[in-house]
Amino acid sequence: TFTKAWSIALGDVDSSIAFSNATLYVGTIDGRVHALIPATGASKWLSPFATGDGAVKGTVWPSAGRVFVSTDTKVWAINDLGTGTTPTPFFTSPISTVPNPATPVLLGTRLYVGGGNGTVYEFEVVATPPTPKSVVLGDPSAPFQVGRPTADVANGLIYMGPEAGQIYAVAYPF
């Protein structure tokens, strides 16, 4: 038989839950990012990080003390400073150069994000604000939404399946 260990009401959660560094990261449709202690469900942070920019999309991407998320018009990097702290933004301002950003993927120190203009973007995240590089996929006169990149580390490629129906492979870093 199974026994429920715990539950917590965070509001509507449409994004996937990520687990990293003994923390569960959850994004909600009201644009908040929560950090939870897995054994108890208690909040790790004093309060969630509020983006104020619509739903957290896809998956929260945690890595090395930071959490990366996309919302309606921005890409965020959030510092996770540990239990009993308040999360802070890492970027001096969120990335707003990607129209309708898809879920970001971090590979090393580079963040990859698909945009609603048929373009995939690369940001070096050691600097703030990060400067974008980009690759246009397909016909720029007929833009489409580019989905979350998937990494093929062995071949140095990222793959995207945009709504236009094609699958694209792009060598990284750009």
Side-chain angles (χ1 to χ4, degrees):
T1 63
F2 295 97
T3 304
K4 179 174 83 172
W6 56 265
S7 65
I8 185 169
L10 299 176
D12 289 341
V13 176
D14 286 347
S15 66
S16 297
I17 298 170
F19 176 75
S20 179
N21 197 27
T23 304
L24 294 174
Y25 295 98
V26 182
T28 61
I29 65 167
D30 64 358
R32 293 179 298 140
V33 178
H34 297 265
L36 305 175
I37 299 168
T40 64
S43 182
K44 176 180 170 183
W45 296 333
L46 296 175
S47 61
F49 184 86
T51 67
D53 187 50
V56 173
K57 297 180 178 180
T59 303
V60 176
W61 190 277
S63 180
R66 292 199 185 100
V67 181
F68 299 89
V69 299
S70 288
T71 54
D72 286 347
T73 64
K74 296 176 177 64
V75 180
W76 304 80
I78 305 162
N79 289 313
D80 180 355
L81 304 173
T83 302
T85 63
T86 300
T88 60
F90 170 68
F91 296 148
T92 52
S93 61
I95 298 169
S96 59
T97 55
V98 180
N100 195 27
T103 302
V105 172
L106 185 70
L107 299 172
T109 61
R110 292 181 174 89
L111 191 68
Y112 295 89
V113 183
N117 59 350
T119 302
V120 62
Y121 294 84
E122 174 189 87
F123 298 91
E124 183 72 36
V125 296
V126 294
T128 181
T131 303
K133 294 181 181 178
S134 62
V135 173
V136 176
L137 308 174
D139 181 359
S141 68
F144 49 84
Q145 180 64 50
V146 176
R148 181 186 71 83
T150 297
D152 176 352
V153 178
N155 292 305
L157 296 170
I158 54 173
Y159 306 106
M160 287 115 336
E163 69 181 4
Q166 300 88 347
I167 301 280
Y168 291 93
V170 176
Y172 76 90
F174 300 169

